[in-house]
């Protein structure tokens, strides 16, 4: 796969190179949605089989934090996540 991307970078004509890059980037945006979904399905499958979170992370090739986020239903930036409700003292 890296070789194909390297070939795009080696396109001599700058305009043609950027056009090829744009096509690859647009395709990858669509592909990322499918790939994230498939990864999530595998995380939930392994969790259902009783596999530990650390082992799930190793098996799917991601971090423990990412596995935890998938299981919690979190995605995207931390700044977009809901803040925990705070209570006033005495409540």
């Amino acid at each position: 796969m890296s070789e194909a991307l390297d070939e795009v970078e080696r396109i001599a004509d700058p305009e043609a190179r950027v056009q090829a890059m744009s096509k690859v980037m647009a395709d990858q945006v669509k592909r990322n949605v499918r790939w994230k979904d498939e990864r999530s399905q595998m995380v939930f499958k392994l969790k259902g089989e009783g596999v530990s979170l650390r082992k799930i992370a190793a098996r799917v090739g991601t971090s423990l934090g990412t596995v935890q986020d998938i299981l919690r239903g979190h995605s995207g930036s931390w700044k977009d996540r809901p803040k925990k409700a705070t209570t006033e003292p005495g409540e």
Side-chain angles (χ1 to χ4, degrees):
M1 177 177 69
S2 291
E3 291 174 19
L5 297 175
D6 290 343
E7 286 297 318
V8 169
E9 292 178 341
R10 284 193 282 270
I11 296 172
D13 177 45
E15 189 171 332
R17 183 174 54 250
V18 170
Q19 287 175 353
M21 289 174 173
S22 293
K23 287 176 79 172
V24 169
M25 289 187 292
D27 181 62
Q28 194 56 43
V29 168
K30 295 174 194 169
R31 194 176 307 265
N32 281 347
V33 172
R34 293 192 316 267
W35 288 7
K36 283 176 69 174
D37 185 52
E38 189 169 341
R39 180 178 66 182
S40 293
Q41 289 175 23
M42 180 58 66
V43 166
F44 280 101
K45 176 183 179 292
L46 294 171
K47 178 66 175 157
E49 293 173 2
V51 178
S52 76
L53 300 187
R54 291 183 192 283
K55 287 183 180 176
I56 293 170
R59 288 175 63 175
V60 301
T62 193
S63 70
L64 173 60
T66 297
V67 169
Q68 292 169 326
D69 284 349
I70 291 168
L71 292 170
R72 291 177 185 141
H74 293 174
S75 65
S77 170
W78 275 94
K79 70 180 177 79
D80 298 329
R81 295 183 188 186
K83 302 215 183 312
K84 287 185 178 180
T86 58
T87 58
E88 293 294 320
E91 285 187 13

